[in-house]
C-alpha cells in the first residue's frame, strides 16, 4: 500500500504537496563541476531516469542548456571509487571525458553528430585503468591515473597523453595517492597534492612541484599533520594553496623555491570542505588579479579576495551556500550555489557588478511550495562540554504540538550538513516530520580541532554527539519523546545504528549502505579508505572494535530498523547490512533489509531512489503511528 494511503494518523496537509517519491527521484539531476570559458559554460549532470548515468551539459553565452552525451555514454570516473570531475573542455573545441563503462578517456569533438573516440589504451583488466581530473593543455591531456592489476594491487600516477590518443606518459609516481595536478604557466613545472596510507586528504597531504625536464621534485609544504589542498599557479614561481596549518583551511601563497607560505586572509573560517572527491576547486583567479573564493563555517559564501591587501568583499549574489567547485574566466565566475528551499543550481556571477544568472536549477520541476520552513543552524551542548553543530528543518503543515523528528547523520564521516534543499528532507518535512541534521565531531566545516575530535573515537564521539542532539530536541524543542528516529548513510549508518545501541531514545533507526563491523570493512573495502579505520578507531583490536561496532552490540538494540544497501557497493559491502539484519532476526527484533541490484555506494537510479524513499517514509509512518 502506498505510504500516502496507509491507515492510522493523518498525514499533515497531503493535498498541499502532492509530490510523489517518483517525482522526486526523476527530478534530481545533481549538477556539478562547472567550467566557464569565454561566456560558455559546461557541467556534469545525472540522469536518474536513465539508470543513473551522468552526462555533460553545455550552455552557450546566449542559448539554452544542451546535453552533449546521449545514452549510453556515462561521464563518470571510478578513481578512489568516489570519483570526481570526469571531463575537461579542450581549447578550440571538444570535450574529453572518462566513460564509466570501461573507464577509458574519450574525446568528443565539437560539432553536430560527432561520436566520442577513445584516447587511452584498452586495459588488460576491464576497467583497470581509470582517469580523473583531466585538463587539456598544449595538445595533451593531464590527469590522475589509477591502475588496478589482476592480483588486486592498485597504484596511481599523474600522467599525460596526446589529444590524438596513445600510451600515457607517467610524470609522477611513488605516492599512494595524487590530486590536483596543475601545470605552471610556462609548462615547465607540475604542481600537485600527494599523500600515503593511512592518511586521508583532510588529515595530511604534501604539496610538491616536479620539473618536467628531468623529474626533479621539491616538497613545497605540508605533511602528516597539515592538510594542503587545491594548488593554483599565480606565476612561474608562485603558487596559491589552501592549508589548515592555522587550524582552518585558509588561503596562502608561497614561493616554490623556498620559504614558508604567506597567509592571504587569516580567519577562523574554512575556505574549503576538504577533498571527498577529486576535482574540487574552492577558489579561482580573476583577470584583475583578485581571487573568487568561498569562506564560512558550515555553508560557504562567495566572496572576492584581494591577495595584495587581504581585503575580502561579498560577491553579491543572494545564495547563502556554494559547493567548493568554482571556475572563472575574466571576471565571470561559475559555480554551484544553493540555499534554503533552493536546490543546487549552476550560477554565473559577474565579479565586477555582482550580477548573478542562474543557468540550471536541480529539481526545477518540483512545486515551489515543497521546501517548507527555512532550516535553522543551532549549536548544542554535547557531552564533556563539547559543542555540536546541527541544522533544524521544522515540519511543515498544520501545527503539531509534539511532531515526530528524524535525526540525520551525514556520510563521510568527514563531511557535513548544509542548508541546501534536499528532496528527502523536503519530502519528510512536507508531511509533518521534522529533521535535525547533525554535524558530529569529525565533520568538516568547523576547523581542524573539530575534525580531529574523531581521531580514535569513531563509534564513541559521533554517537555521543548524535544522542546529545536527540536529547536537545526534547529539552529545547517540541519533539514528541516517543517519536524520534535516527537515520544515516554510509558512515552515518554506523553512527545511527550505534546511537540505537547506546540510547533508548529512538523509536527506530534507518541505515543506508551502513557500516556495521570494522574488521570486515577494513578487509573488504576499496583501497582509498582501506587504512582509514586505523585513524578513526585505532589499530585493529578485537575487543576495542567489538565495544563500538553495531554488529557486535546488536543485542542492545530493541527498536525497529530499516536497512537498505546496493548489492554492488565497493565502499561498504552489502554483507555489512545483511549480517546485521540476520543478527536482529535471530533475536526477533523487527528489521527490514532492502537490497538493490545494480546499485553501488549511493542510489543513482530513479526507480531505486523512489522505492527507497517510499520504504523509508512508510517505516516512519509505522513507528510514529502516523
Amino acid at each position: 500500500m502506498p505510504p500516502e494511503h496507509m491507515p492510522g494518523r493523518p498525514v499533515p496537509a497531503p493535498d498541499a504537496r502532492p509530490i510523489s517519491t517518483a517525482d522526486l527521484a526523476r527530478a534530481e539531476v545533481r549538477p556539478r563541476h562547472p567550467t566557464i570559458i569565454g561566456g560558455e559554460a559546461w557541467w556534469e549532470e545525472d540522469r536518474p531516469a536513465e539508470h543513473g548515468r551522468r552526462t555533460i551539459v553545455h550552455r552557450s553565452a546566449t542559448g539554452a542548456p544542451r546535453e552533449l552525451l546521449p545514452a549510453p555514454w556515462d561521464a563518470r570516473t571510478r578513481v578512489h571509487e568516489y570519483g570526481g570531475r570526469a571531463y575537461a573542455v579542450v581549447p578550440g573545441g571538444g570535450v574529453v571525458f572518462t566513460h564509466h563503462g570501461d573507464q577509458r578517456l574519450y574525446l568528443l569533438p565539437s560539432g553536430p553528430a560527432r561520436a566520442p573516440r577513445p584516447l587511452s589504451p584498452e586495459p588488460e583488466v576491464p576497467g583497470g585503468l581509470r582517469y580523473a581530473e583531466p585538463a587539456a593543455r598544449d595538445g595533451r591531456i593531464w590527469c590522475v591515473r589509477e591502475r588496478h592489476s589482476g592480483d588486486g594491487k592498485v597504484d596511481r600516477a599523474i600522467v599525460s597523453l596526446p589529444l590524438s590518443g596513445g600510451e600515457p606518459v607517467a610524470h609522477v609516481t611513488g605516492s599512494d595517492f595524487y590530486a590536483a595536478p596543475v601545470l605552471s604557466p610556462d609548462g615547465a613545472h607540475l604542481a600537485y597534492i600527494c599523500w600515503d596510507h593511512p592518511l586521508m586528504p583532510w588529515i595530511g597531504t604534501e604539496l610538491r612541484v616536479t620539473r618536467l625536464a628531468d623529474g626533479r621534485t621539491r616538497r613545497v609544504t605540508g605533511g602528516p599533520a597539515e592538510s594542503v589542498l587545491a594548488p593554483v599557479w599565480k606565476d612561474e614561481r608562485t603558487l596559491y594553496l589552501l592549508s589548515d596549518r592555522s587550524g582552518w583551511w585558509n588561503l596562502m601563497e608561497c614561493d616554490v623555491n623556498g620559504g614558508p607560505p604567506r597567509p592571504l586572509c587569516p580567519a577562523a573560517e574554512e575556505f574549503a570542505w576538504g577533498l571527498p572527491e577529486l576535482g574540487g576547486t574552492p577558489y579561482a583567479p580573476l583577470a584583475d588579479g583578485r581571487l573568487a573564493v568561498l569562506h564560512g563555517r558550515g555553508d560557504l559564501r562567495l566572496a572576492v579576495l584581494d591577495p595584495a591587501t587581504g581585503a575580502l568583499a561579498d560577491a553579491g549574489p543572494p545564495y547563502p551556500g556554494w559547493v567548493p567547485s568554482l571556475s572563472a574566466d575574466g571576471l565571470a565566475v561559475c559555480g554551484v550555489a544553493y540555499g534554503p528551499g533552493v536546490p543546487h543550481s549552476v550560477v554565473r556571477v559577474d565579479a565586477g557588478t555582482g550580477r548573478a544568472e542562474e543557468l540550471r536549477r536541480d529539481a526545477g520541476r518540483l512545486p515551489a511550495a515543497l521546501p517548507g520552513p527555512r532550516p535553522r543552524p543551532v549549536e548544542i551542548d554535547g557531552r564533556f562540554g563539547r559543542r555540536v553543530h546541527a541544522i533544524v528543518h521544522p515540519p511543515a503543515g498544520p501545527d503539531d504540538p509534539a511532531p515526530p523528528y528524524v535525526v540525520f547523520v551525514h556520510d563521510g564521516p568527514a563531511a557535513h550538513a548544509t542548508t541546501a534543499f534536499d528532496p528527502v528532507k523536503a519530502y519528510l518535512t512536507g508531511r509533518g516530520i521534522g529533521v535535525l541534521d547533525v554535524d558530529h565531531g569529525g565533520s568538516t566545516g568547523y576547523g581542524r580541532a573539530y575534525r580531529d575530535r574523531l581521531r580514535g573515537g569513531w563509534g564513541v564521539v559521533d554517537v555521543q554527539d548524535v544522542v546529545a542532539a536527540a536529547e536537545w530536541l526534547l529539552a529545547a524543542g517540541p519533539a514528541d519523546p516517543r517519536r524520534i528516529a535516527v537515520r544515516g548513510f554510509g558512515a552515518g549508518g554506523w553512527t545511527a545504528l550505534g546511537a540505537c545501541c547506546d540510547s533508548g531514545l529512538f523509536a527506530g533507526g534507518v541505515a543506508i549502505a551502513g557500516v556495521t563491523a570494522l574488521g570486515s570493512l577494513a578487509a573488504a573495502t576499496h583501497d582509498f579508505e582501506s587504512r582509514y579505520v586505523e585513524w578513526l578507531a585505532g589499530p585493529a583490536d578485537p575487543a576495542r572494535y567489538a565495544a563500538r561496532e553495531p554488529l557486535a552490540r546488536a543485542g542492545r538494540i530493541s527498536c525497529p530498523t530499516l536497512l537498505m544497501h546496493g548489492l554492488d557497493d565497493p565502499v561498504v559491502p552489502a554483507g555489512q547490512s545483511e549480517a546485521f539484519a540476520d543478527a536482529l532476526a535471530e533475536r526477533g527484533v523487527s528489521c527490514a533489509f532492502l537490497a538493490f541490484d545494480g546499485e553501488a555506494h549511493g542510489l543513482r537510479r530513479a526507480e531505486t531512489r523512489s522505492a527507497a524513499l517510499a520504504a523509508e517514509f512508510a517505516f516512519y509512518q509505522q513507528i510514529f503511528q502516523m
Side-chain angles (χ1 to χ4, degrees):
M1 184 175 294
E4 290 84 354
H5 298 92
M6 293 184 68
R9 185 170 176 165
V11 177
D15 294 334
R17 289 164 174 79
I19 194 72
S20 70
T21 60
D23 291 330
L24 283 173
R26 287 192 298 266
E28 195 181 16
V29 297
R30 302 176 181 177
R32 67 190 73 200
H33 300 303
T35 301
I36 187 166
I37 301 174
E40 299 181 77
W42 295 257
W43 61 87
E44 298 175 9
E45 240 179 49
D46 286 357
R47 292 290 178 265
E50 300 175 27
H51 302 289
R53 76 179 186 91
R54 186 169 296 163
T55 188
I56 300 169
V57 175
H58 171 243
R59 175 164 169 164
S60 66
T62 57
R66 180 175 65 92
E67 183 175 326
L68 297 182
L69 292 179
W73 294 103
D74 188 352
R76 192 154 46 102
T77 174
R78 289 187 59 190
V79 171
H80 296 176
E81 295 299 351
Y82 289 118
R85 183 168 53 79
Y87 82 100
V89 178
V90 178
V95 173
V96 168
F97 67 96
T98 298
H99 175 53
H100 183 259
D102 58 13
Q103 289 298 290
R104 297 173 69 185
L105 281 171
Y106 286 79
L107 172 65
L108 175 67
S110 59
R114 299 290 183 90
R117 60 177 178 83
L119 298 182
S120 61
E122 187 172 356
E124 295 180 3
V125 177
L129 293 175
R130 307 172 182 182
Y131 304 88
E133 285 195 281
R137 174 81 184 273
D138 301 333
R140 299 184 71 85
I141 298 297
W142 300 76
C143 56
V144 175
R145 183 189 67 189
E146 183 177 88
R147 180 168 55 192
H148 294 247
S149 58
D151 57 4
K153 294 182 179 179
V154 183
D155 66 77
R156 297 170 184 86
I158 297 177
V159 304
S160 72
L161 66 160
L163 270 170
S164 57
E167 192 69 30
V169 175
H171 299 280
V172 179
T173 61
S175 293
D176 290 335
F177 301 98
Y178 294 99
V182 284
L183 278 174
S184 59
D186 60 5
H189 293 84
L190 180 70
Y192 52 92
I193 301 298
C194 60
W195 67 98
D196 294 312
H197 283 304
L199 299 174
M200 300 299 287
W202 47 88
I203 298 171
T205 62
E206 290 185 359
L207 168 59
R208 295 181 184 175
V209 172
T210 294
R211 188 164 62 188
L212 295 174
D214 56 12
R216 182 181 176 183
T217 297
R218 175 193 295 270
R219 185 187 72 84
V220 178
T221 189
E226 179 183 3
S227 173
V228 182
L229 305 173
V232 172
W233 290 94
K234 177 183 179 180
D235 52 43
E236 278 78 2
R237 59 175 295 167
T238 311
L239 278 166
Y240 293 123
L241 60 108
L242 285 157
S243 168
D244 69 351
R245 61 170 52 197
S246 69
W248 300 84
W249 273 310
N250 280 188
L251 270 162
M252 301 187 178
E253 71 173 27
C254 66
D255 188 321
V256 298
N257 295 314
R262 178 180 73 88
L264 297 180
C265 183
E269 292 185 326
E270 302 283 38
F271 284 71
W273 282 352
L275 193 67
E277 62 177 36
L278 296 175
T281 49
Y283 64 99
L286 301 173
D288 59 7
R290 297 180 299 164
L291 300 173
V293 303
L294 301 173
H295 70 105
R297 298 191 183 191
D299 290 330
L300 302 180
R301 305 180 303 280
L302 179 65
V304 176
L305 171 66
D306 185 341
T309 65
L312 191 66
D314 186 83
Y319 297 92
W322 292 73
V323 176
S325 185
L326 296 179
S327 176
D329 186 42
L331 294 180
V333 181
C334 194
V336 177
Y338 61 82
V342 179
H344 287 89
S345 305
V346 180
V347 178
R348 179 168 54 201
V349 179
D350 186 322
T353 65
R355 180 179 177 273
E357 178 186 7
E358 205 167 279
L359 306 183
R360 174 74 114 195
R361 172 173 287 201
D362 194 5
R365 291 170 288 178
L366 299 181
L370 181 64
R374 293 176 64 88
R376 176 170 56 95
V378 297
E379 289 190 29
I380 296 165
D381 289 324
R383 303 285 174 85
F384 311 112
R386 293 195 300 257
R387 300 292 285 171
V388 181
H389 297 273
I391 301 172
V392 180
H393 300 257
D399 291 337
D400 185 337
Y405 264 83
V406 180
V407 178
F408 272 50
V409 191
H410 60 69
D411 60 350
H416 71 271
T418 73
T419 58
F421 169 86
D422 180 284
V424 175
K425 297 185 187 78
Y427 189 85
L428 297 179
T429 57
R431 285 157 174 76
I433 300 174
V435 170
L436 180 65
D437 218 346
V438 180
D439 279 338
H440 56 72
S443 302
T444 52
Y446 309 98
R448 175 91 191 203
Y450 200 82
R451 298 200 308 275
D452 282 350
R453 284 186 192 177
L454 205 58
R455 183 170 190 170
W458 196 35
V460 179
V461 171
D462 52 325
V463 170
Q464 290 174 347
D465 288 354
V466 165
V467 172
E471 294 170 343
W472 176 86
L473 271 175
L474 301 180
D480 186 339
R482 300 164 301 172
R483 297 193 294 163
I484 297 178
V486 61
R487 180 249 204 214
F489 171 84
W494 155 278
T495 304
L497 295 176
C500 292
C501 292
D502 282 8
S503 174
L505 275 175
F506 301 104
V510 176
I512 305 168
V515 177
T516 66
L518 294 179
S520 56
L521 176 71
T525 193
H526 59 137
D527 181 65
F528 178 60
E529 291 181 321
S530 61
R531 302 278 299 279
Y532 191 24
V533 169
E534 297 177 25
W535 189 91
L536 289 168
D541 178 81
R544 180 185 182 89
Y545 284 7
R548 302 182 183 194
E549 57 190 23
L551 181 60
R553 300 189 297 150
R556 301 179 60 176
I557 291 185
S558 58
C559 65
T561 61
L562 170 63
L563 309 176
M564 296 184 281
H565 219 122
L567 289 177
D568 298 333
D569 191 338
V571 177
V572 181
Q576 293 268 322
S577 289
E578 186 175 9
F580 192 77
D582 290 343
L584 293 187
E586 289 178 4
R587 296 181 48 244
V589 177
S590 175
C591 178
F593 173 39
L594 301 181
F596 297 106
D597 191 24
E599 292 285 4
H601 194 63
L603 308 179
R604 300 187 55 80
R605 300 177 179 181
E607 60 270 26
T608 306
R609 293 188 199 176
S610 176
L613 180 54
E616 186 174 349
F617 181 60
F619 177 77
Y620 297 140
Q621 284 188 305
Q622 292 166 2
I623 64 172
F624 294 154
Q625 299 182 357
M626 295 179 69

